[in-house]
Amino acid sequence: MSIALVAKEAFSMSKKDRLKDIIIEKSLKRGDFTLASGAKSTYLFDLKTTMLDPEGANLIGHLVLDKLGSDIDAIGGLELGACPAVSNACVISYQIGRPLKTFYVRKEKKGRGTDQLIEGCSLKKGDKVVILDDVTTKGGSVKEAIKAVQNVGCEVIKVLSIVDRNEGAKANLAEDGIALDYIFSKDELLGE
């Protein structure tokens, strides 16, 4: 498909509808999978293929920013899943004149260089932060990022997931007083 045709097609649909098509085409896998939570599944959302696609990256950046609200100081997430989406949002935030601080939370310190757990912007005590995740299932992985930014005195406003699998993340995060927002639920993408 030519670039002009892709651009024309994308222009005629909403950003969310177009992103849905891209995720279904490039990132929805069928088979037997083990998830980060340890659960088994017959489908998987491998969002890296969408987050690293030029059109998908652009759409994710815009849709993430649409979901943030105006009182956010920074957005970040756990490596590796959130890295492309955080970068996409960073670039788009600058382009629209609302630059946000962005960061990544390592799973563990490297033990060399600056030996930081949080890489990117310098978070300050009191910063209002949104934690971004590519796919939430139970919420266990994203809790690592929440804890890291809370440990430097930031206020986590919410977790924003590109896709929520509706398998307990919302309830698990609510136990810690953190709201979960998402761009898509699994039902929207699976047609259930």
Side-chain angles (χ1 to χ4, degrees):
M1 185 179 286
S2 76
I3 292 174
L5 186 56
V6 169
K8 182 179 179 184
E9 180 180 309
F11 183 73
S12 66
M13 333 175 68
S14 76
K15 290 176 186 144
K16 186 173 176 180
D17 287 340
R18 180 63 187 138
L19 182 59
K20 177 181 176 181
D21 289 347
I22 293 170
I23 290 172
I24 290 169
E25 176 190 336
K26 295 179 182 264
S27 295
L28 176 59
K29 312 293 183 200
R30 301 285 185 168
D32 293 316
F33 303 98
T34 301
L35 306 175
S37 66
K40 302 290 185 189
S41 179
T42 58
Y43 65 92
L44 177 76
F45 295 105
D46 179 9
L47 288 186
K48 287 170 217 53
T49 54
T50 296
M51 292 187 293
L52 296 171
D53 172 84
E55 184 182 6
N58 182 58
L59 293 167
I60 287 169
H62 281 284
L63 290 168
V64 163
L65 292 173
D66 289 348
K67 289 268 195 181
L68 291 187
S70 60
D71 61 342
I72 301 302
D73 298 305
I75 184 169
L78 195 62
E79 68 168 351
L80 178 65
C83 290
V86 168
S87 295
N88 301 342
C90 177
V91 170
I92 300 294
S93 76
Y94 178 80
Q95 290 173 342
I96 66 171
R98 187 179 159 229
L100 284 172
K101 296 191 289 186
T102 54
F103 62 91
Y104 306 132
V105 178
R106 292 182 177 281
K107 292 179 182 164
E108 59 186 45
K109 292 181 179 183
K110 293 189 305 184
R112 56 187 162 79
T114 59
D115 201 29
Q116 299 292 311
L117 189 59
I118 299 174
E119 298 283 359
C121 72
S122 296
L123 293 175
K124 298 183 304 218
K125 185 176 183 175
D127 276 349
K128 294 180 180 179
V129 173
V130 169
I131 303 295
L132 185 60
D133 202 4
D134 59 344
V135 180
T136 46
T137 303
K138 303 263 186 225
S141 297
V142 76
K143 283 187 172 192
E144 295 174 42
I146 292 168
K147 182 179 176 184
V149 298
Q150 287 176 331
N151 284 344
V152 296
C154 295
E155 178 185 355
V156 177
I157 301 300
K158 67 180 173 182
V159 168
L160 175 58
S161 181
I162 298 169
V163 177
D164 179 40
R165 290 180 57 101
N166 299 334
E167 294 181 21
K170 186 172 190 164
N172 287 336
L173 292 168
E175 289 175 3
D176 295 333
I178 306 291
L180 172 65
D181 193 5
Y182 52 84
I183 296 172
F184 295 102
S185 71
K186 74 164 182 164
D187 298 340
E188 292 175 89
L189 298 170
L190 296 176
E192 296 176 357

